[in-house]
Amino acid sequence: MVTTGDVGVVGELHVLAVDDSFVDRKVIERLLKFTSCKVTVVESGTRALQYLGLDGDTSSIGFDGVKVNMIMTDYSMPGMTGYELLKKIKQESSVFREIPVVVMSSENILTRIDSCLEEGAEEFLLKPVKLSDVKRLTDFIMSGEGKKVGGKRSQKRNRSDDCISSLSTTCSTVSHPCDLSSLSPSAMSSKKSRL
Amino acid sequence: MDQLQRKLRDYEAAMFQQGFLDDQFSQLQKLQDDSSPDFVIEVMTMFFDDSEKLLNNISRALEQIPVNFKQIDAYVHQQKGSSASVGAARVKNICATFRSFCEAQNRDGCVSCLQQLQKEYSQLKKNLQYLFRLQQEFKAAAGSIPTGE
């Protein structure tokens, strides 16, 4: 339920999730619905762009423009990767580039994480995605942090201790100012230690 | 009823203890509620369909000459991903080994991994179907308890 008045005080976030995996789409959809988000799930970057009206193919008739508060995309997808989708969105000179984009991946590859963050990803989540990850993200967006001034990028990293890189000593975790309350060292890594 | 409840609880605990399921499965269980009462069964059914398709694809790919290891690796990567997403721990772990054999272009290793994968997957499916059956029994029994007794 969306209330008028203060932005980000009470409202239902609309999240667009992009994943080529049948099973993962089902899980991410449920995770988001469980955290009271409105969810749209698509299976590819191309479909995501179509949905957002960014594919250059949109008829202007009856197209209102879709309001999306966050995009969550898988990294490895056939055709357009999540990284390519991220780039396309961030290249938009409109309200679209301000939408936080979260990249998800089952592979913990430092260079991959870095390039996504460099390109303006809000966060990089390791799969499998958990309820606590989604809660943390939605809380963060709801706190009004959704809008970011160009140039100031989130340096937040989600990386487990077993970074695949000899540069792991240079890994730093810088918390975002608005996020201090919900952030703890264990929350930073979306890979918890397994039983 | 108590006996059934205990049986159910013990069976579920065993599946975790024996490594068939991991914490991610618990995550899925947390996501099940009145608004989505069959969520776990729905996801696992999708996982079964997905896995069977992938295993078939891998099997066929291994019969090709020459073997396309990149393609097989892609399938295994998918299998690993979906296994991780539903908490199918044993299946997921075999996939990791499988990928190394793909990288090494070791056909025998791949064939062996496929067999293991098929075996583990079969066992998991059987166990889960039994678990779901127990849950249904329990639900039915709980539903038929007369009130005011």
Side-chain angles (χ1 to χ4, degrees):
Chain A
M1 204 153 40
V2 180
T3 61
T4 53
D6 295 352
V7 170
V9 171
V10 181
E12 195 180 54
L13 292 182
H14 181 194
V15 182
L16 174 64
V18 191
D19 203 315
D20 63 313
S21 159
F22 195 36
V23 169
D24 287 0
R25 281 201 297 277
K26 173 94 175 162
V27 174
I28 195 76
E29 180 187 48
R30 183 66 197 143
L31 279 167
L32 288 163
K33 282 195 172 147
F34 194 83
T35 34
S36 308
C37 294
K38 173 164 180 264
V39 193
T40 302
V41 194
V42 297
E43 69 209 15
S44 69
T46 311
R47 283 254 184 275
L49 291 174
Q50 274 171 6
Y51 182 77
L52 294 167
L54 295 176
D55 61 341
D57 223 28
T58 312
S59 128
S60 55
I61 299 168
F63 184 70
D64 273 346
V66 175
K67 176 76 172 130
V68 165
N69 303 108
M70 177 168 67
I71 296 169
M72 294 183 76
T73 179
D74 187 29
Y75 184 94
S76 317
M77 297 189 289
M80 190 187 299
T81 65
Y83 176 68
E84 286 160 353
L85 175 62
L86 166 69
K87 280 212 300 201
K88 281 211 152 76
I89 291 168
K90 293 303 175 183
Q91 274 161 17
E92 284 294 311
S93 54
S94 66
V95 66
F96 289 103
R97 70 175 301 166
E98 295 197 351
I99 303 174
V101 180
V102 173
V103 180
M104 308 176 281
S105 175
S106 57
E107 291 173 302
N108 190 6
I109 299 171
L110 189 56
T111 49
R112 177 180 289 190
I113 298 170
D114 280 348
S115 27
C116 287
L117 293 176
E118 278 300 301
E119 242 359 272
E122 180 64 33
E123 201 161 299
F124 187 96
L125 281 185
L126 281 178
K127 282 178 155 185
V129 178
K130 296 179 161 358
L131 198 50
S132 55
D133 295 323
V134 177
K135 277 198 177 131
R136 185 163 48 80
L137 281 174
T138 52
D139 284 348
F140 183 61
I141 305 290
M142 290 285 251
S143 70
E145 175 29 46
K147 309 268 187 277
K148 246 196 315 282
V149 179
K152 266 235 156 108
R153 294 237 174 81
S154 167
Q155 288 298 299
K156 201 175 8 212
R157 307 208 169 179
N158 268 303
R159 200 184 299 122
S160 69
D161 297 336
D162 51 32
C163 285
I164 303 174
S165 167
S166 57
L167 298 172
S168 55
T169 48
T170 65
C171 292
S172 62
T173 41
V174 180
S175 23
H176 196 286
C178 292
D179 202 30
L180 284 172
S181 54
S182 55
L183 223 49
S184 71
S186 56
M188 289 300 272
S189 169
S190 51
K191 249 265 172 70
K192 299 194 177 68
S193 54
R194 297 280 179 242
L195 299 163
Chain B
M1 231 279 271
D2 275 347
Q3 229 179 15
L4 182 54
Q5 191 170 28
R6 210 175 315 130
K7 193 168 164 194
L8 176 57
R9 199 187 43 219
D10 289 348
Y11 194 78
E12 195 178 296
M15 283 196 77
F16 280 95
Q17 275 154 22
Q18 290 170 31
F20 284 98
L21 300 172
D22 67 24
D23 183 60
Q24 188 63 18
F25 188 81
S26 309
Q27 287 282 308
L28 298 187
Q29 290 175 311
K30 279 194 201 142
L31 295 174
Q32 181 161 296
D33 64 13
D34 288 339
S35 70
S36 196
D38 299 310
F39 176 68
V40 178
I41 291 184
E42 285 166 10
V43 181
M44 295 320 288
T45 305
M46 286 171 120
F47 173 69
F48 295 151
D49 290 344
D50 209 41
S51 300
E52 276 153 41
K53 221 183 315 175
L54 283 170
L55 290 175
N56 272 333
N57 288 345
I58 294 170
S59 179
R60 252 180 288 131
L62 279 171
E63 285 164 17
Q64 307 254 309
I65 299 167
V67 174
N68 184 345
F69 288 102
K70 249 185 118 186
Q71 177 66 83
I72 295 175
D73 183 69
Y75 290 139
V76 177
H77 174 68
Q78 279 184 64
Q79 182 63 50
K80 181 160 176 270
S82 56
S83 308
S85 294
V86 305
R90 285 199 190 181
V91 175
K92 180 188 73 171
N93 291 339
I94 296 172
C95 291
T97 311
F98 203 149
R99 291 196 80 188
S100 322
F101 282 125
C102 287
E103 207 176 337
Q105 310 218 338
N106 181 337
R107 190 181 178 274
D108 287 345
C110 286
V111 170
S112 162
C113 271
L114 176 61
Q115 284 166 358
Q116 275 186 284
L117 211 50
Q118 282 163 336
K119 197 166 138 243
E120 278 301 337
Y121 168 72
S122 255
Q123 189 63 57
L124 175 67
K125 182 172 179 183
K126 217 180 303 183
N127 291 354
L128 280 172
Q129 284 175 330
Y130 180 66
L131 179 68
F132 293 149
R133 199 160 40 242
L134 283 180
Q135 286 175 344
Q136 298 294 74
E137 268 182 50
F138 180 69
K139 246 201 311 209
S144 65
I145 291 176
T147 54
E149 167 95 322

